Amino acid sequence: MNVNDVLADLSRRFPNEPEYLQAVSEVLKSIEDVYNEYPEFERYNLVERLCIPDRIFTFRVTWTDDSGRIRTNMAYRVQHNNAIGPYKGGIRFHASVNLSILKFLAFEQTFKNSLTTLAMGGAKGGSDFSPRGKSDMEVMRFCQAYIQELWRHIGPETDVPAGDIGVGGREVGYMFGMYKKMAREHSGTFTGKGLEFGGSLVRPEATGYGNVYFLLNMLATRGIELKGKRVAISGSGNVATYTADKLLSLGAKVVTMSDSDGVIHVPDGLTREQLDYIFTLKQIYRGRIREFAEEYGCEYVEGGRPWSFPCDIAMPSATQNEIDGDDARALLANGCIAVSEGANMPSTPEAVDEFIKARILYAPGKAANAGGVSVSGLEMAQNSQKLSWTAKEVDDYLHRIMNDIHSQCVKYGSEADGYVNYVKGANIAGFMKVARAMMSQGIL
Ligand code: NDP
């Protein structure tokens, strides 16, 4: 494989998909050497079959708003690769959703799921529907309409969706309800379900907690303690709040949180009471982070991002490409020693280069945020067994998986000078398993 040739070909075929091309480029560049050690991969044209999704469903969703107006949105499900297990990946509802973003997410998901050690392929879905400002009933009607179209293509052994940006427990519940009605089965087709109908304990917490467990592993390689460290977090949704929750319980200081309107800065770190306030504000009342600043009188920067504030550790947990080259340089100038990604692809390629050049601890999302899908995998296992595990059982399992992902990154990503390149490690480890599975299954 010549990466430049492959990328040129994909750019020609998919010219309007920058996020997809960005994700593919990052992975291919780091696996090129390993790939070329196996001539049979090239003979089987593994690279193209790995980069191009198995199939994509694209459809219109029609729903009625509270005023009786008929509304339409575009919706998708990208089934990327099922070599190692049923398709698995979240659903995103956000005005920015398009095919490029979902293809990048499904591609990344394939390697992430491979890293978890569980049997899950990669997929992603979503719509440009924005739940922001919509009533409960509007969200429900949209979710139902989305599933009325998609239900034929998903199932417990086929494709198992979950949440992502704009899709939490409420949305998964509505989608599961309609799936159950259409398919006439009560099965583990969704993860992130309510506890009363097959959900797993620790699933809401899993991505944030898992990211902190991964961070602890990274810090341990340099003998650094988490306690007392200042951590800048972006976002204030599911991943961000549970990351903050675990950090607080381990004695770290959370100095920033944000939403798509702005960022709050609390130099001494959020108290437990303040974090509870944010959780209620964002998850229950669906308010704005600005309201926290008004309540507690802290600094708030409209339209700002966390990366210019002094911190020891950054944990981006909002969205893709939210740390650019300038942000990365600002973080490094302020003494940041570690970046552990809760979001998917939050750092631009230029930012990643800066982190690696500076030899700081840098964990890409596909390793650091894999805890969410891991516990989704455990939810699938519990649904198959028709059993519920205790919170401790699930959390211990999550801990083991994150430690294992870290070990895989160290195994494949250690460089001659001892530096662990987690990007390379995660990409090679994730790729090798999918590649071997695809080779064994013939040309499909
Ligand atoms: P939520 O919808 O719960 O929260 C998203 C947060 O990010 C909100 O605070 C939102 O602000 C903010 N945000 C979203 N889009 C933008 C944007 N374009 N610019 C600035 N801020 C933005 O989503 P999650 O917490 O579930 O997901 C966050 C990230 O983590 C995503 O990248 C997702 O793919 C990734 N992830 C999630 C997993 C999960 O288990 N949920 C698993 C692995 C990765 P606002 O309130 O204004 O919308």
Side-chain angles (χ1 to χ4, degrees):
M1 155 176 78
N2 177 312
V3 170
N4 290 335
D5 291 349
V6 178
L7 291 176
D9 182 52
L10 291 175
S11 305
R12 184 185 54 76
R13 293 161 81 179
F14 309 108
N16 302 316
E17 300 183 357
E19 293 86 1
Y20 166 68
L21 295 169
Q22 179 183 337
V24 169
S25 165
E26 185 219 89
V27 170
L28 294 191
K29 282 179 183 158
S30 52
I31 64 164
E32 184 174 18
D33 290 345
V34 173
Y35 186 95
N36 286 332
E37 284 171 20
Y38 298 84
E40 63 272 30
F41 287 175
E42 193 63 3
R43 265 203 314 280
Y44 278 64
N45 195 6
L46 208 65
V47 67
E48 261 184 61
R49 293 196 289 133
L50 246 179
C51 291
I52 299 176
D54 289 354
R55 69 189 65 76
I56 300 172
F57 302 104
T58 304
F59 48 98
R60 187 193 73 234
V61 175
T62 306
W63 56 284
T64 308
D65 71 19
D66 287 346
S67 68
R69 219 177 108 206
I70 315 279
R71 311 275 291 260
T72 64
N73 285 94
M74 285 311 296
Y76 315 86
R77 182 74 180 166
V78 179
Q79 295 182 337
H80 188 84
N81 187 293
N82 66 351
I84 61 177
Y87 298 108
K88 178 90 195 88
I91 289 179
R92 177 177 292 193
F93 291 163
H94 193 270
S96 65
V97 164
N98 58 35
L99 201 49
S100 172
I101 288 176
L102 295 180
K103 277 176 70 180
F104 117 65
L105 289 164
F107 176 81
E108 289 282 290
Q109 193 83 47
T110 299
F111 300 103
K112 181 190 307 187
N113 292 2
S114 165
L115 282 174
T116 65
T117 69
L118 306 173
M120 298 180 289
K124 203 82 188 189
S127 170
D128 58 6
F129 169 81
S130 171
R132 193 168 160 182
K134 305 288 191 302
S135 72
D136 250 7
M137 287 296 108
E138 288 176 327
V139 170
M140 182 187 78
R141 286 194 292 272
F142 178 83
C143 290
Q144 293 181 337
Y146 178 77
I147 289 302
Q148 274 177 338
E149 186 68 33
L150 190 63
W151 75 273
R152 289 177 191 80
H153 308 299
I154 58 178
E157 307 299 338
T158 316
D159 182 353
V160 183
D164 191 78
I165 291 177
V167 176
R170 173 181 65 166
E171 290 76 14
V172 168
Y174 291 148
M175 287 192 275
F176 176 79
M178 183 50 84
Y179 175 82
K180 186 193 68 173
K181 184 179 166 80
M182 303 299 291
R184 299 193 301 152
E185 65 174 36
H186 194 299
S187 62
T189 294
F190 279 81
T191 59
K193 301 184 291 298
L195 289 178
E196 307 80 7
F197 53 97
S200 174
L201 287 163
V202 191
R203 176 60 188 91
E205 296 88 344
T207 310
Y209 281 18
N211 192 9
V212 177
Y213 299 156
F214 195 90
L215 172 72
L216 287 169
N217 270 290
M218 288 205 295
L219 293 175
T221 64
R222 298 193 179 178
I224 300 170
E225 278 226 344
L226 176 62
K227 197 160 180 224
K229 295 286 179 296
R230 296 161 305 168
V231 185
I233 296 181
S234 62
S236 46
N238 169 273
V239 178
T241 44
Y242 285 111
T243 301
D245 173 36
K246 184 54 82 179
L247 288 170
L248 253 60
S249 65
L250 294 174
K253 292 179 184 166
V254 174
V255 295
T256 67
M257 292 190 84
S258 66
D259 62 19
S260 46
D261 292 343
V263 58
I264 54 158
H265 181 217
V266 185
D268 294 332
L270 292 170
T271 62
R272 175 62 63 181
E273 178 210 317
Q274 289 173 330
L275 180 59
D276 289 347
Y277 182 93
I278 290 176
F279 185 86
T280 309
L281 172 70
K282 296 296 295 186
Q283 313 290 319
I284 313 286
Y285 295 112
R286 300 177 193 277
R288 311 308 303 157
I289 202 77
R290 172 181 34 81
E291 296 169 54
F292 173 89
E294 288 159 7
E295 177 73 18
Y296 287 97
C298 75
E299 184 181 359
Y300 170 73
V301 182
E302 180 80 17
R305 296 194 280 193
W307 320 125
S308 56
F309 297 112
C311 68
D312 305 300
I313 296 165
M315 301 184 83
S317 307
T319 193
Q320 65 276 354
N321 292 328
E322 53 167 317
I323 301 183
D324 63 20
D326 288 339
D327 296 323
R329 285 182 283 276
L331 281 167
L332 293 168
N334 277 327
C336 179
I337 55 163
V339 177
S340 203
E341 296 182 342
N344 285 305
M345 205 168 74
S347 308
T348 63
E350 190 188 350
V352 175
D353 286 347
E354 291 289 343
F355 296 144
I356 292 179
K357 206 167 64 191
R359 294 311 216 210
I360 65 162
L361 298 166
Y362 166 66
K366 71 167 72 64
N369 72 32
V373 74
S374 300
V375 174
S376 277
L378 304 182
E379 183 172 328
M380 289 163 71
Q382 293 169 73
N383 292 163
S384 299
Q385 289 180 317
K386 305 273 187 272
L387 288 174
S388 298
W389 305 347
T390 65
K392 182 171 182 327
E393 282 173 308
V394 179
D395 194 38
D396 286 350
Y397 210 139
L398 169 64
H399 227 122
R400 283 203 301 278
I401 290 173
M402 297 315 294
N403 294 349
D404 190 82
I405 295 174
H406 184 267
S407 303
Q408 294 181 64
C409 291
V410 172
K411 178 175 169 192
Y412 289 101
S414 292
E415 298 188 340
D417 62 358
Y419 178 68
V420 181
N421 183 329
Y422 287 90
V423 176
K424 197 168 134 196
N427 286 337
I428 295 176
F431 161 75
M432 282 309 288
K433 186 171 166 191
V434 181
R436 288 198 179 106
M438 287 176 73
M439 292 297 290
S440 309
Q441 292 168 22
I443 298 166
L444 301 170

